[in-house]
Amino acid sequence: MLIKISVENFKSFDKKEELSMLSSSKIQANKSHRLKIKQTNLLKNAVVYGANASGKSNLVTTIAFIKTVLMEGFPVNSVNDFCRNKKENKDRESVFELQFTVDDKFYAYGFSAILNQRKITEEWLYELMQDGSAHNLFIRDGNHAPVLGEGVNPTTAEKNRFAVYSEDFAGHDTQLFLTEMNRGKKYTANSKLLFFVQTFNWIMNNIIVINPSIGISNTDAYYSAESLESISRLIQTFDTGVSEIKTKVITLEEMGKMIPAEVLSGIFVHLKKQMQMTNLPQIQMTWRIDDGFFNIRIKENSEPEITTLVLKHGKSIFDFNFSEESDGTKRLFDLIDMLMTKRQDTVFIVDELERSLHPKLTEHFLKLFMKAHEGARMQLIFTTHEDTIMDQELFRRDEIWFIERDADNASKIYSLDRFKERYDKKLSKAYLEGRYGAIPVFRQFTFRKEE
């Protein structure tokens, strides 16, 4: 489970900002919204509010950026991703860190970089202990060879192998060492270096980022008749008019007619990189791109298997293509896997969850999500403008967060829990009245009249 996200000098974030999933011991409401791992209580939800251009999407982008750098290295346009509200930030380190659990172990992984040069300056992985201490697992400083922590204690063979990997990697200041230790490396089941695989796999596979225009998932939901029937019944509860969902096989050429060539190429580049990193004989992904919805499965030395959705409405005998559905219905298909998934220990990060959805649909979805994953290691972090769900019956105070810009135009993150509110307080009304900040501040504008 995710414990904390922290970021510094990236996009609209200047100084270090963080969002924590640690629960407040003072709040006793909605106890089912937290899970205890060892002695630590972690929240299952975080809802983030803020005005347009406050930096909400940049928080989601931070997570996506960490995953991208781990998988592909620095994107070309990342040279301008430092916080550009100050000249000195161009040559200042940007810092990214995730704290999370894998099984019942607590980790902190992060790296710092000069983004304008696309150069890594430091990278680290620690195991966090319940007494507040931290055990270093590895650290790399600039161009120097990465070093194992003193308490790792690998076997002699593992130590020698790591020494070779480390020396070969020295000088590679544009790549992450955690990525390198998952590139074609093999580990035994009881290896002392297995934390390299466990932490990398958790970040890459257990954090699912969904933005408003592209939904990506590695779900199995669209590959069996039984799950398609369940999705059909589930989608009916949202009153969209859709009564049944099926899939049909299409060719690569047919898919190419539905989406731009550069997007199609990017999808398969992404899938091939995933296969290379995971060393799996096959990989499958579900992509929602504008008006297209595709399930793609790739096996070694085989042509890709591609299916798309066919929908039925009410008692109509005619089929409807995904492109013919309303924006709200399409948006639900971005989110439906979040309700269906059986994967354990998954964190969904969603930008603008309510986009194109009626407020009642948004509330219905959230209640279904909480019910479907009650007691499970499943988290949902999302940004929104939807004030109707800012309700203490739906969310705890420590699950509600705000982002706003300060006088220097930098984004600040803070929790509702810092405000001392009664449990019967109408939060949405207080928010719109400006009590918690993070709302638009308008200036006067005078229209000139023709003489």
Side-chain angles (χ1 to χ4, degrees):
M1 293 181 72
L2 190 65
I3 304 168
K4 191 178 292 185
I5 308 161
S6 63
V7 57
E8 179 180 344
N9 192 25
F10 179 70
K11 298 287 188 179
S12 59
F13 299 108
D14 183 8
K15 303 274 176 54
K16 180 181 177 181
E17 297 292 330
E18 62 182 37
L19 183 147
S20 172
M21 301 299 286
L22 292 168
S23 75
S24 169
S25 58
K26 301 175 295 182
I27 299 174
Q28 298 303 312
N30 288 324
K31 291 184 178 180
S32 63
H33 288 208
R34 63 186 189 185
L35 280 177
K36 191 171 186 177
I37 301 179
K38 292 186 176 178
Q39 285 79 52
T40 305
N41 283 309
L42 295 175
L43 294 168
K44 298 190 65 179
N45 309 294
V47 49
V48 184
Y49 287 91
N52 292 104
S54 61
K56 300 188 305 300
S57 293
N58 288 338
L59 179 64
V60 176
T61 301
T62 297
I63 310 292
F65 182 79
I66 292 170
K67 286 169 62 85
T68 296
V69 177
L70 275 167
M71 178 59 68
E72 305 172 5
F74 288 104
V76 174
N77 60 2
S78 63
V79 294
N80 291 315
D81 280 344
F82 57 90
C83 184
R84 285 182 282 171
N85 62 356
K86 294 177 184 175
K87 182 180 179 180
E88 59 266 28
N89 284 350
K90 180 178 179 179
D91 299 311
R92 185 176 134 224
E93 286 183 330
S94 298
V95 186
F96 308 86
E97 185 179 87
L98 297 176
Q99 293 183 19
F100 53 94
T101 67
V102 180
D103 298 325
D104 285 343
K105 289 188 176 181
F106 292 64
Y107 295 99
Y109 170 73
F111 60 90
S112 59
I114 305 295
L115 293 182
N116 188 250
Q117 303 171 27
R118 297 163 70 197
K119 183 183 293 185
I120 303 288
T121 54
E122 193 173 356
E123 183 182 4
W124 59 89
L125 178 63
Y126 287 85
E127 183 177 355
L128 307 176
M129 313 310 291
Q130 292 295 295
D131 62 3
S133 63
H135 295 171
N136 174 230
L137 298 177
F138 88 86
I139 191 165
R140 54 88 70 93
D141 185 8
N143 284 321
H144 298 114
V147 178
L148 284 175
E150 292 182 1
V152 175
N153 298 321
T155 64
T156 301
E158 288 176 330
K159 186 182 294 185
N160 293 336
R161 194 159 62 249
F162 178 85
V164 172
Y165 297 153
S166 177
E167 288 301 322
D168 287 346
F169 189 78
H172 288 70
D173 57 7
T174 61
Q175 300 171 31
L176 291 171
F177 187 61
L178 185 60
T179 306
E180 181 61 29
M181 290 301 287
N182 282 273
R183 202 188 306 274
K185 308 293 191 293
K186 294 184 178 179
Y187 301 87
T188 62
N190 58 353
S191 171
K192 297 293 186 180
L193 304 180
L194 209 56
F195 57 80
F196 282 109
V197 178
Q198 293 168 334
T199 54
F200 178 85
N201 285 344
W202 190 89
I203 294 171
M204 298 309 298
N205 299 326
N206 294 51
I207 299 179
I208 309 295
V209 180
I210 301 173
N211 70 34
S213 57
I214 302 179
I216 308 172
S217 174
N218 59 351
T219 178
D220 290 318
Y222 298 94
Y223 288 91
S224 77
E226 182 181 354
S227 60
L228 284 171
E229 183 183 346
S230 296
I231 294 173
S232 297
R233 285 188 281 106
L234 184 57
I235 207 75
Q236 288 174 30
T237 72
F238 287 91
D239 191 28
T240 62
V242 176
S243 57
E244 187 179 2
I245 299 156
K246 295 182 179 180
T247 59
K248 71 172 181 179
V249 177
I250 60 172
T251 65
L252 186 58
E253 290 72 26
E254 287 174 313
M255 184 180 177
K257 293 176 182 178
M258 300 179 189
I259 58 176
E262 64 273 14
V263 175
L264 182 64
S265 174
I267 288 173
F268 284 97
V269 168
H270 176 88
L271 287 170
K272 287 176 182 176
K273 284 183 178 178
Q274 285 271 58
M275 286 189 75
Q276 290 170 358
M277 292 302 300
T278 56
N279 293 316
L280 294 173
Q282 75 170 41
I283 192 167
Q284 63 190 38
M285 298 287 281
T286 294
W287 294 70
R288 205 279 267 183
I289 305 158
D290 295 328
D291 288 338
F293 192 100
F294 308 99
N295 306 300
I296 307 167
R297 177 180 282 165
I298 297 180
K299 298 179 181 178
E300 284 182 335
N301 306 317
S302 300
E303 287 293 311
E305 301 171 11
I306 307 169
T307 62
T308 189
L309 292 186
V310 176
L311 304 102
K312 287 191 175 294
H313 284 232
K315 296 180 180 179
S316 174
I317 62 171
F318 299 101
D319 291 337
F320 290 80
N321 294 324
F322 185 81
S323 60
E324 298 177 274
E325 297 300 325
S326 70
D327 287 343
T329 300
K330 291 172 186 172
R331 182 58 171 160
L332 282 175
F333 279 95
D334 292 344
L335 309 175
I336 208 76
D337 179 51
M338 294 164 56
L339 303 177
M340 298 292 298
T341 184
K342 301 299 182 188
R343 295 189 304 270
Q344 276 291 313
D345 197 10
T346 300
V347 186
F348 290 100
I349 316 283
V350 187
D351 195 15
E352 295 182 26
L353 181 132
E354 85 289 0
R355 182 175 181 257
S356 300
L357 297 180
H358 187 280
K360 284 295 182 183
L361 284 187
T362 304
E363 182 181 352
H364 179 61
F365 172 84
L366 290 168
K367 288 179 177 178
L368 281 176
F369 182 87
M370 293 174 189
K371 184 177 180 180
H373 304 304
E374 189 173 1
R377 293 192 181 187
M378 195 75 63
Q379 291 171 299
L380 172 60
I381 300 172
F382 67 96
T383 70
T384 186
H385 294 291
E386 186 53 70
D387 63 284
T388 61
I389 59 171
M390 192 186 288
D391 188 327
Q392 292 188 80
E393 289 188 6
L394 192 59
F395 292 106
R396 296 160 52 99
R397 290 202 312 273
D398 51 1
E399 292 179 302
I400 298 174
W401 291 78
F402 302 102
I403 296 183
E404 71 173 2
R405 298 260 192 164
D406 63 12
D408 294 323
N409 210 32
S411 296
K412 301 292 182 183
I413 305 175
Y414 55 97
S415 171
L416 175 66
D417 195 38
R418 79 186 223 187
F419 299 91
K420 308 304 179 186
E421 296 291 23
R422 302 191 315 268
Y423 286 98
D424 61 348
K425 182 80 171 182
K426 182 71 172 176
L427 297 181
S428 60
K429 182 175 183 290
Y431 171 58
L432 293 176
E433 289 173 346
R435 173 168 169 75
Y436 314 126
I439 60 171
V441 178
F442 305 113
R443 296 183 181 182
Q444 291 255 329
F445 180 83
T446 303
F447 290 94
R448 292 181 180 178
K449 294 184 178 180
E450 295 285 343
E451 292 187 6

